[in-house]
């Protein structure tokens, strides 16, 4: 990988790294291909003049869609396309076509996307098709993890691993680091700073059971903020232009024009990167359920009626850059000061206290809960902002016990639920292998509307469809409540959740952010300590 990067021109190096890590565009890019698994498969079948059952038999041996296509292309000759080109594909050409797929819109765009895809896949070698298809569907298990890519970047451009890691944190994106290093040499990568309109990966939190535990962990004194039950946003603004990114770094600006307006009216600084939580509020000012908020976020076309019926409010809690001054290495209190100076009404900061008194913090927690919020976030006063890291500087304190799990398979339900894939296999992440291990199954918790949405979504990411059972890429995260964790031989993980029910769909979380099998074990073990149960 390092020698490949060294050989390529800067632009080609960036593209090669994207494709090899299972992406077509960087996360912050507004473009998306919008090509489903089913579309790709239809195109592949149309290229193979053999019986679909035979093609499927070969395909079923693939470990993912790209691998299935590779096997099919190796096993069968393809229909010849009436094309002028017979030469090999180049990276530049592939990208021109991918960009054309992304920009096809309006009536007839489906057919246009398929036609471009057909021409690309008719010319790709089996191995090229493997890479290309996996990049298109976002399959990242090509054996080139981000860790390896970081090593390769270091080697290719004469940087240390730490320098590359830091640059990736600051830019949120290995592709941006390659671009800087390839164009400007190692020094350009070393001096990368957070830039407006390039979202950073959000800093993440661990869990504390109580305020006492949080205080002990954070050195006896800490900031406590309301933990609002909403959607995290990273707000980038400069000179009257605003872009808002979700926790997964996708651009959500168009879904939340009322938040954008509040930013335009409340910003005192000229150039900022701020973070906060958006919640939907009812008439009394109390937060509305998360599901209601998601109705706003899933829409692209937001009508004035929708804005009025589900008004949003943003509560800010961090500043990562203000007027060109990078703040991520500054301590919490310094960043908070910068945040306070950068804004005014109608923007507001999340309710916060700084305290070393467990009684006071406990009361603050009760107040947050009684006002309808999720709990508190405890933050270390001296902690820097560490993008993308789930460290011990931020600790969430919640009352209800839930796990964020990933759906890896689903079955059709019985009776009324037969229309939908409504029974979900829930899995926790194994941080060592990156695999997802099933810890339970549930059909409880979703509304009809959500079953419908979920069925559609799972079909798009299916890797195996047997009619009443579907196996999917691990992409959809759900927050799951349960009564207890049990030891169980039923699943290879060794654990099973009792009375699991989905509390909400977490489209705002990526599977890498799901809870780990270690966390499941921790909860299992903590059950003994408290109730004395065996
Ligand atoms: P969790 O999603 O349970 O891991 O909790 C972390 C999330 O809580 C963050 O990503 C934010 O979306 C959200 N959150 C709510 N209030 C705060 C706050 N005051 N500070 C940081 N994150 C918050």
């Amino acid at each position: 990988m390092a020698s490949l990067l060294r050989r390529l021109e800067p632009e080609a190096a960036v593209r090669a790294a994207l494709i090899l890590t299972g992406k077509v565009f960087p996360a912050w890019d507004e473009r998306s291909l919008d090509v489903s698994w089913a579309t790709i498969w239809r195109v592949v079948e149309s290229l193979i003049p053999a019986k679909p059952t035979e093609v499927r038999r070969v395909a079923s041996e693939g470990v993912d869609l790209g691998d299935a296509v590779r096997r099919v292309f190796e096993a069968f000759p393809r229909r010849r396309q009436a094309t002028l080109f017979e030469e090999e594909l180049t990276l530049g050409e592939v990208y021109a076509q991918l960009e054309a797929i992304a920009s096809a819109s309006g009536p007839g765009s489906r057919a246009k996307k398929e036609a471009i895809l057909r021409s690309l896949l008719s010319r790709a070698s089996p191995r090229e098709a493997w890479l290309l298809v996996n990049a298109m569907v976002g399959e990242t298990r090509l054996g080139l993890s981000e860790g390896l890519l970081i090593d390769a970047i270091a080697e290719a451009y004469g940087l240390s691993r730490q320098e590359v890691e830091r640059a990736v944190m600051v830019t949120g994106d290995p592709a941006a680091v390659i671009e800087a290093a390839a164009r400007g040499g190692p020094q350009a990568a070393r001096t990368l700073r957070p830039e407006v309109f390039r979202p950073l990966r959000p800093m993440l939190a661990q869990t504390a059971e109580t305020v006492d535990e949080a205080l002990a962990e954070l050195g006896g004194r800490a900031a406590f903020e309301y933990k609002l039950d909403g959607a995290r946003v990273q707000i980038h603004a400069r000179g009257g232009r605003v872009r808002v990114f979700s926790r997964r770094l996708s651009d959500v600006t168009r879904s939340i024009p009322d938040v954008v307006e509040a930013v335009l009216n409340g910003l005192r600084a000229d150039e900022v990167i701020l973070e906060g939580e958006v919640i939907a509020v009812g008439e009394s000012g109390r937060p509305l359920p998360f599901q209601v908020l998601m109705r706003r976020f899933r829409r692209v076309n937001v009508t004035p009626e929708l804005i009025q019926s589900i008004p949003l409010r943003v509560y800010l809690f961090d500043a990562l850059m203000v007027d060109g001054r990078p703040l991520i290495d500054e301590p919490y209190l310094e960043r908070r000061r910068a945040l306070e100076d950068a804004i005014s009404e109608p923007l507001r900061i999340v309710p916060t206290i700084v305290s070393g008194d467990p009684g006071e913090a406990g009361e603050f927690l009760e107040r947050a809960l009684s006002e309808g919020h999720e709990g508190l976030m405890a933050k270390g006063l001296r902690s820097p902002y560490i993008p993308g890291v789930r460290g011990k500087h931020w600790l969430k304190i919640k009352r209800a016990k839930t796990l964020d799990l990933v759906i890896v398979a689903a079955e059709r339900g019985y009776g009324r639920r037969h229309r939908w894939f409504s029974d979900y296999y829930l899995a926790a992440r194994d941080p060592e292998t990156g695999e997802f291990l099933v810890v339970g199954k549930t059909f409880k918790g979703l509304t009809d509307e959500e079953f419908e949405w979920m069925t559609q979504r799972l079909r798009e990411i299916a890797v195996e469809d047997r009619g009443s059972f579907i196996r999917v890429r691990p992409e959809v995260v759900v927050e799951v409540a349960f009564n207890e964790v049990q030891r169980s031989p039923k699943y290879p993980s060794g654990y099973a959740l009792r009375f699991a029910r989905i509390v909400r769909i977490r489209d705002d979380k990526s599977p890498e952010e799901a809870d780990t099998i270690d966390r499941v074990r921790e909860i299992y073990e903590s059950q003994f300590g408290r109730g004395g149960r065996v």
Side-chain angles (χ1 to χ4, degrees):
M1 183 71 198
S3 72
L4 172 70
L5 288 177
R6 258 196 302 258
R7 265 191 295 141
L8 295 173
E9 296 290 313
E11 188 179 46
V14 170
R15 291 169 164 178
L18 284 168
I19 291 208
L20 287 169
T21 49
K23 282 172 240 156
V24 170
F25 301 119
W28 47 266
D29 201 307
E30 279 164 285
R31 293 169 297 178
S32 77
L33 292 182
D34 200 17
V35 169
S36 69
W37 185 92
T39 305
I40 293 174
W41 192 246
R42 202 163 45 240
V43 166
V44 168
E45 282 192 332
S46 77
L47 286 170
I48 306 292
K51 278 213 199 92
T53 48
E54 274 176 51
V55 178
R56 269 180 217 157
R57 190 183 48 73
V58 173
S60 68
E61 282 159 22
V63 296
D64 50 42
L65 185 59
D67 190 41
V69 174
R70 177 178 68 81
R71 284 164 190 270
V72 167
F73 282 4
E74 276 167 357
F76 303 97
R78 270 167 274 174
R79 283 202 172 88
R80 288 180 65 82
Q81 289 271 298
T83 164
L84 295 176
F85 314 95
E86 280 302 325
E87 316 94 76
E88 291 191 333
L89 285 170
T90 64
L91 203 50
E93 210 183 311
V94 166
Y95 255 85
Q97 307 274 30
L98 292 172
E99 280 163 1
I101 292 178
S103 64
S105 65
S109 63
R110 276 277 120 234
K112 199 156 145 204
K113 284 178 196 277
E114 280 195 35
I116 302 171
L117 190 57
R118 188 167 301 118
S119 124
L120 258 181
L121 289 182
S122 72
R123 293 178 53 208
S125 73
R127 277 164 62 83
E128 286 167 345
W130 166 64
L131 281 174
L132 201 55
V133 164
N134 275 348
M136 284 194 286
V137 296
E139 173 60 62
T140 53
R141 278 183 281 174
L142 298 182
L144 184 71
S145 63
E146 189 165 300
L148 272 179
L149 181 61
I150 284 175
D151 286 336
I153 297 172
E155 195 180 320
Y157 302 110
L159 291 153
S160 73
R161 178 162 228 280
Q162 285 80 349
E163 286 170 333
V164 179
E165 270 172 351
R166 181 182 154 82
V168 170
M169 269 183 195
V170 164
T171 55
D173 186 5
V177 181
I178 293 175
E179 191 166 12
R183 285 190 204 285
Q187 198 50 23
R190 281 188 201 111
T191 50
L192 278 167
R193 295 165 148 225
E195 255 184 70
V196 79
F197 305 130
R198 291 265 182 128
L200 288 81
R201 296 183 192 182
M203 178 160 170
L204 303 169
Q206 292 196 16
T207 305
E209 298 300 329
T210 58
V211 293
D212 296 81
E213 191 185 315
L215 278 172
E217 186 70 51
L218 297 172
R221 203 174 149 74
F224 292 91
E225 304 174 355
Y226 276 17
K227 183 174 192 305
L228 306 171
D229 190 8
R232 184 161 184 171
V233 288
Q234 200 176 95
I235 297 170
H236 291 235
R238 177 168 60 207
R241 179 164 174 241
V242 179
R243 271 181 84 184
V244 185
F245 298 94
S246 73
R247 172 188 185 128
R248 300 185 68 178
L249 313 189
S250 49
D251 189 319
V252 293
T253 315
R254 282 170 56 194
S255 311
I256 51 175
D258 37 351
V259 172
V260 172
E261 195 181 308
V263 172
L264 286 171
N265 291 330
L267 211 54
R268 281 163 52 182
D270 179 59
E271 187 186 20
V272 294
I273 304 177
L274 309 177
E275 259 197 344
E277 187 88 350
V278 168
I279 57 172
V281 285
E283 267 165 27
S284 58
R286 277 180 79 87
L288 294 171
F290 185 78
Q291 277 83 347
V292 176
L293 175 70
M294 278 300 121
R295 262 193 253 148
R296 282 286 307 268
F297 269 85
R298 284 199 196 118
R299 290 282 178 88
V300 190
N301 293 319
V302 183
T303 59
E305 294 77 48
L306 192 64
I307 294 178
Q308 223 176 18
S309 67
I310 311 177
L312 301 184
R313 194 175 284 171
V314 60
Y315 285 91
L316 299 168
F317 55 73
D318 222 316
L320 315 187
M321 192 263 274
V322 173
D323 285 340
R325 175 179 168 218
L327 293 164
I328 55 174
D329 295 324
E330 301 289 334
Y332 172 90
L333 286 174
E334 194 58 40
R335 299 201 307 278
R336 178 52 63 95
R337 211 166 299 141
L339 174 61
E340 281 165 6
D341 290 345
I343 64 162
S344 61
E345 283 287 321
L347 288 176
R348 50 188 107 192
I349 294 179
V350 72
T352 306
I353 59 165
V354 172
S355 174
D357 173 4
E360 191 186 4
E363 271 170 37
F364 196 56
L365 171 63
E366 291 310 322
R367 212 177 93 199
L369 292 169
S370 71
E371 289 173 22
H373 302 293
E374 215 182 351
L376 295 182
M377 277 288 217
K379 299 183 177 178
L381 298 175
R382 278 183 289 275
S383 67
Y385 187 97
I386 313 176
V389 171
R390 188 178 292 288
K392 291 207 170 213
H393 297 303
W394 287 11
L395 299 170
K396 54 188 169 193
I397 308 167
K398 296 199 273 192
R399 204 33 69 82
K401 205 159 254 171
T402 61
L403 284 166
D404 293 324
L405 299 172
V406 181
I407 296 179
V408 292
E411 283 166 7
R412 281 187 190 282
Y414 292 99
R416 212 172 73 77
R417 286 186 295 106
H418 190 69
R419 283 185 280 158
W420 302 303
F421 284 108
S422 59
D423 294 13
Y424 306 108
Y425 287 83
L426 308 165
R429 193 163 54 84
D430 180 341
E432 309 229 309
T433 61
E435 273 181 273
F436 289 90
L437 304 174
V438 174
V439 294
K441 204 177 146 191
T442 191
F443 58 85
K444 296 210 176 76
L446 297 190
T447 62
D448 286 5
E449 195 189 334
E450 286 169 325
F451 277 136
E452 188 72 46
W453 179 88
M454 186 68 90
T455 300
Q456 229 177 21
R457 178 90 177 89
L458 295 181
R459 279 224 178 87
E460 281 165 16
I461 56 171
V463 288
E464 184 185 340
D465 190 343
R466 288 198 233 136
S468 64
F469 173 87
I470 193 170
R471 209 160 54 80
V472 299
R473 284 205 309 277
E475 276 189 12
V476 180
V477 181
V478 285
E479 190 173 333
V480 178
F482 53 92
N483 289 18
E484 193 183 19
V485 177
Q486 298 178 311
R487 278 307 253 166
S488 163
K490 194 161 148 197
Y491 304 118
S493 68
Y495 296 98
L497 302 183
R498 220 163 108 81
F499 298 123
R501 54 211 179 264
I502 296 178
V503 209
R504 70 184 61 147
I505 302 168
R506 298 293 309 248
D507 329 356
D508 60 320
K509 278 206 173 181
S510 69
E512 294 75 40
E513 290 179 71
D515 276 307
T516 60
I517 197 71
D518 299 339
R519 175 82 188 122
V520 175
R521 187 176 311 124
E522 238 173 70
I523 295 177
Y524 172 74
E525 279 161 10
S526 75
Q527 290 167 178
F528 298 99
R530 231 155 283 153
R533 287 188 75 253
V534 180

